[in-house]
Amino acid sequence: MAKRPLYDLLPRNSEIHNFTSVHLTDRQKRIIGLGLKFRPTQKPPDLTQFNVQIQDFCRSVRLHKKFEGEPEDSNFNPRLYVKSTWNPPREDPDLEDKLHDICKDLRQNIKQNKPHWKRNLSVTDREELSQIRNDDSVRVLDTDKNLGPALVSTDWVQNETLRQLNDKQSYSIITYEDWILRHGQIIATREKLMLTFSKFITANAAKFLRSYDHLLSPTKFYIIPKIHKNPMVGRPIAASHSYITRPLSIFVDEYVKPRLKMPTVLRDSGELIQALESVRLPPQCFLVTADVISLYPNVDTKKALLALDLLLREAGAPETPLLIQFSRLVFENNFLKTEFCGDIFHQTFGIAMGTPFAVTAANAFMYYLEKDVVTQFSNHLLLYKRFIDDIFLVWKGPKENLLEFLSCLNSKNDRIKLTYVIDESSISFLDLFLYKDANFSTLQFSTYQKPLNKYLYIPFESFHPASNKRAFIRGELMRYTRNSSTFKAFSETREKFWKRLRLRGYPVGFLLPLFREVKYSDRTKWLSKKRKSRNGRMVVFKSTFNCSHANIKPVIQRHLPDLDCIVSYKSTTTLAHLCK
């Protein structure tokens, strides 16, 4: 009998959310319970595929040497850049000899070295997974709030998708001929604006803005189940990664986001933690959280443009007219299609969740909507902060006044409505559980544990580099230190994390060094935001993890010891791909 892998003999957390009447076998539950980010092992590539990676690296090294010593362009933005296909001349014989030796050694290694991994999905596993994939009545989908994979009926997905798209207040149906006409108009309008405001657009940015003109498909519309809602609904997503307005959206976001000053807006829960340190709690106060119901589809884009215009002018941004016109072009030209019908839909109200500029635009819209009300009740507000559509506030004063404040927020716009929770002792917000403690004058906090979360971390046997696994564990531990106002709170969360990782197959020897490395005494270090430096002088060997047995980095260091180089492994097939 074949020897079973060690991870099959350990207790496992392989829970999933099943919202269908379909009965899954234990094996099917275990496979889906690996999580949709789980990567099956891959066969090593053939020599031709690996050679493409090697030649791409050699080109990067030649480019690095060609422009070495030249000053960096302070205006260069890698997000607004289209990769060049230019091949630099082979001018340095010594470098070419070293590159030749690297190519030779890597090709030899990929052929001779035996892969160090074992298959993590058996033939039977794949057959049972195929049964689910071939069942047209069900879908395996990721869930909103990252609560784990869910099995839902195709009928539910279709009905919920069409229910949202058939909302005549937000969408209208157009013909394919109309779409092609609008596609040409988008390009023509953009070109006029680029000509008028050419002084604000670099050559690289201009090339980037035109880089999606050949894409003729509307954006794909799909939904993510919100399983924490009763009844369950779908979060609408417009996948704009291959859509003509995406470069415009990225361009606007890159210019607008650094210029906007919105004191009530949070970047993350870390900013809230820092703000809480200065809030002294009176004997009587209320903790309140509020949630904007379906913010993105209900944003009035005309008012959003007005808010952006005012904020940019306050910041003294000379590009304001260009950025507003580009924003208008993005908002007014969201055309969608779905797998469930042949129609093309035009979004006539709201912002598409999926375009890069959506969060910044929604934040600006909400900031101006709430600004006057927050100012009016400022004497009662010890703290008021918002993260996109989630609001947290500390209220000093009678509850009647608090309800009046919430009523005023709810009446500012016909389509923007809030649900809220009021408590005098404790409340959850984002990834924090906030509570009062008689021994402290400020709010205390710990990491909030969502009841529906299955905690399906990447399994140890997943075909991810060990560095990826270490990085996510280290990152979570750092988040737990930051989100814990006391060592006791950190210790309790860390213990749960340890147990959950063990149930995902992580050995003690792998976890111990990481858990010893991240200490609560270093908490202030994790609270401070480090700016990401853009190091354009590093050379990257782009590969896939099924090439790792070629010992890429040691070979490069042996022949080019002074080269600042890293090996980056691109994502490979995941369980999500195998479920489609």
Side-chain angles (χ1 to χ4, degrees), residues 3 126 158 162 191 229 287 324 503 506 530 533:
K3 189 176 180 181
R126 289 179 180 268
Q158 178 174 341
L162 295 179
E191 289 298 310
K229 300 292 184 182
L287 308 178
I324 295 302
L503 287 174
Y506 284 83
K530 292 183 179 179
S533 59

Side-chain angles (χ1 to χ4, degrees), residues 167-185:
D167 175 7
K168 298 194 184 306
Q169 292 185 329
S170 300
Y171 300 96
S172 64
I173 297 175
I174 67 164
T175 65
Y176 180 75
E177 290 72 25
D178 287 337
W179 154 242
I180 294 298
L181 179 64
R182 291 296 292 267
H183 184 278
Q185 290 173 346

Side-chain angles (χ1 to χ4, degrees), residues 189 193 197 200 248 251-253 255-256 260 301-313 317-332 357 361 364:
T189 303
L193 291 170
F197 299 99
F200 299 123
L248 286 166
F251 180 92
V252 172
D253 200 45
Y255 275 85
V256 170
L260 299 191
T301 53
K302 291 179 182 177
K303 291 182 179 178
L305 288 169
L306 179 62
L308 286 165
D309 187 63
L310 290 169
L311 285 165
L312 287 169
R313 292 186 188 281
E319 312 94 338
T320 298
L322 171 65
L323 296 174
I324 295 302
Q325 292 303 317
F326 271 2
S327 301
R328 189 188 307 279
L329 205 53
V330 173
F331 292 160
E332 293 180 353
F357 185 49

Side-chain angles (χ1 to χ4, degrees), residues 10 13 130 136 164 168 191 243 296 335 378 436 459 475 491 494 555:
L10 295 171
N13 169 18
S130 294
D136 293 334
Q164 295 196 23
K168 298 194 184 306
E191 289 298 310
Y243 186 58
Y296 293 96
F335 295 89
S378 59
K436 296 179 183 178
S491 183
R494 181 179 60 175
V555 169

Side-chain angles (χ1 to χ4, degrees), residues 77-83 183-215 240-255 319 322-327 329-330 355-357:
N77 185 336
R79 288 203 72 199
L80 307 178
Y81 176 72
V82 180
K83 185 179 177 181
H183 184 278
Q185 290 173 346
I186 293 169
I187 295 174
T189 303
R190 184 203 63 210
E191 289 298 310
K192 288 179 183 177
L193 291 170
M194 288 174 65
L195 182 62
T196 304
F197 299 99
S198 57
K199 64 180 179 180
F200 299 123
I201 302 173
T202 64
N204 277 334
K207 186 177 179 181
F208 172 75
L209 287 168
R210 298 183 177 109
S211 61
Y212 281 39
D213 287 5
H214 63 288
L215 299 173
S240 68
H241 51 77
S242 301
Y243 186 58
I244 186 171
T245 63
R246 183 174 178 83
L248 286 166
S249 191
I250 294 174
F251 180 92
V252 172
D253 200 45
E254 285 294 299
Y255 275 85
E319 312 94 338
L322 171 65
L323 296 174
I324 295 302
Q325 292 303 317
F326 271 2
S327 301
L329 205 53
V330 173
T355 191
F357 185 49

Side-chain angles (χ1 to χ4, degrees), residues 272 276 288-289 383-385 391-394 427 429 434 443:
L272 177 62
L276 289 173
V288 184
T289 60
L383 184 70
Y384 180 94
K385 293 291 181 180
I391 298 169
F392 172 74
L393 63 99
V394 181
I427 208 160
F429 180 72
L434 305 149
L443 271 180

